[in-house]
Amino acid sequence: MTVHFIGAGPGAADLVTLRGLRLIERAPVCLYAGSLVPEELLESCPRDARLVDTANLTLDEIVAELADAHAKGLDVARLHSGDPSVFSAMAEQMRRLDAIGVPYEVVPGVPAFAAAAASLGRELTVPGVGQTIILTRTSARATPMPEGEDLATLSSSRATMVLHLAVQRIAQVAAELTPAYGADCPVAVVARASRDDELILKGTLADIADQVRAAGVVRTAVIVVGRVLAATQFPDSHLYSAARCRQP
């Protein structure tokens, strides 16, 4: 028996890997976050599969479901939105499974920031403009950020920044980033990336908070900040340059 931590993608049911889908199709038990995993993807589960919505469960209750499946010799598809390597709370589940001897594997998925970049039609690493991406969040009701990972510190590099779980604090985020990036720095907020009801807002640090407030966006959104969002004048990459030596 194995617990398969599967990246279920950012929202569109077809943005899941073939490996993940095949595991879902044959898993007799499936745990998923009901508010984030598309119902269409759950239709791929076996007809008699046990489906458990974890949205309102505690960590102990989730682990108990996994342990019960293990005791019965049943594989589990444990679905996490986006990619489970980022803001998924997977680590604490794996720590519990290690302690009780339950085997598991991780199947990557399409992360929300990648889906947002695709919807924006933008590369986030543009030659001469930005070659670094910071994935972070802010502290509110969530777990406090570690020392040194506050926005003022992270923004000092002026790298492209993608913020998860922060759209409710967009005004404060913009205020904290403005000293380093400048009020005219391009910003995009992508809500429900890849879904039928996707919403894209584009602006600057000076006006994005008003746009978000007017649109009523309060959750399931990523914030992308950086000059790469508006870059048009930049050098071609060396990768495809005629000057690059292609001899082995």
Side-chain angles (χ1 to χ4, degrees):
M1 170 274 173
T2 302
V3 174
H4 304 278
F5 289 98
I6 300 171
D14 58 350
L15 284 181
V16 64
T17 66
L18 287 174
R19 181 183 299 181
L21 181 60
R22 287 166 181 161
L23 290 169
I24 293 169
E25 289 175 338
R26 64 173 185 256
V29 180
C30 178
L31 274 66
Y32 66 98
S35 60
L36 299 173
V37 174
E39 291 185 7
E40 296 90 334
L41 189 57
L42 297 177
E43 293 173 2
S44 300
C45 295
R47 182 169 299 180
D48 58 348
R50 173 172 168 74
L51 304 181
V52 180
D53 185 351
T54 62
N56 294 312
L57 299 186
T58 65
L59 175 60
D60 287 342
E61 290 170 331
I62 292 171
V63 174
E65 288 283 351
L66 301 177
D68 181 63
H70 174 68
K72 295 175 180 176
L74 302 176
D75 280 1
V76 178
R78 175 62 173 116
L79 307 186
H80 284 272
S81 62
D83 179 85
S85 68
V86 183
F87 305 122
S88 69
M90 177 180 68
E92 61 204 53
Q93 296 171 70
M94 294 190 298
R95 181 171 59 186
R96 297 287 189 95
L97 296 181
D98 285 336
I100 60 178
V102 175
Y104 55 82
E105 71 160 356
V106 180
V107 179
V110 178
F113 81 88
S119 294
L120 292 168
R122 285 289 175 178
E123 180 179 349
L124 299 185
T125 52
V126 176
V129 181
Q131 293 287 285
T132 303
I133 303 169
I134 297 174
L135 305 178
T136 190
R137 64 171 180 81
T138 60
S139 292
R141 291 177 295 178
T143 307
M145 296 294 287
E147 183 178 355
E149 294 190 15
D150 56 281
L151 292 185
T153 300
L154 295 177
S155 66
S156 63
S157 69
R158 295 189 294 279
T160 303
M161 186 177 293
V162 180
L163 295 105
H164 297 69
L165 309 171
V167 73
Q168 289 185 331
R169 302 178 64 245
I170 185 67
Q172 184 174 344
V173 166
E176 292 182 27
L177 295 182
T178 295
Y181 288 87
D184 64 340
C185 183
V187 182
V189 171
V190 183
R192 303 175 295 277
S194 82
R195 303 183 188 187
D196 292 339
D197 59 347
E198 175 184 88
L199 175 66
I200 297 175
L201 303 173
K202 298 179 181 180
T204 66
L205 285 174
D207 64 21
I208 195 65
D210 289 339
Q211 291 192 49
V212 169
R213 188 179 305 109
V217 177
V218 295
R219 63 189 299 274
T220 322
V222 295
I223 306 167
V224 186
V225 182
R227 300 288 172 181
V228 298
L229 291 175
T232 56
Q233 301 300 315
F234 54 86
D236 293 337
S237 68
H238 183 63
L239 178 63
Y240 299 116
S241 170
R244 183 171 70 86
C245 178
R246 286 172 167 78
Q247 297 301 318

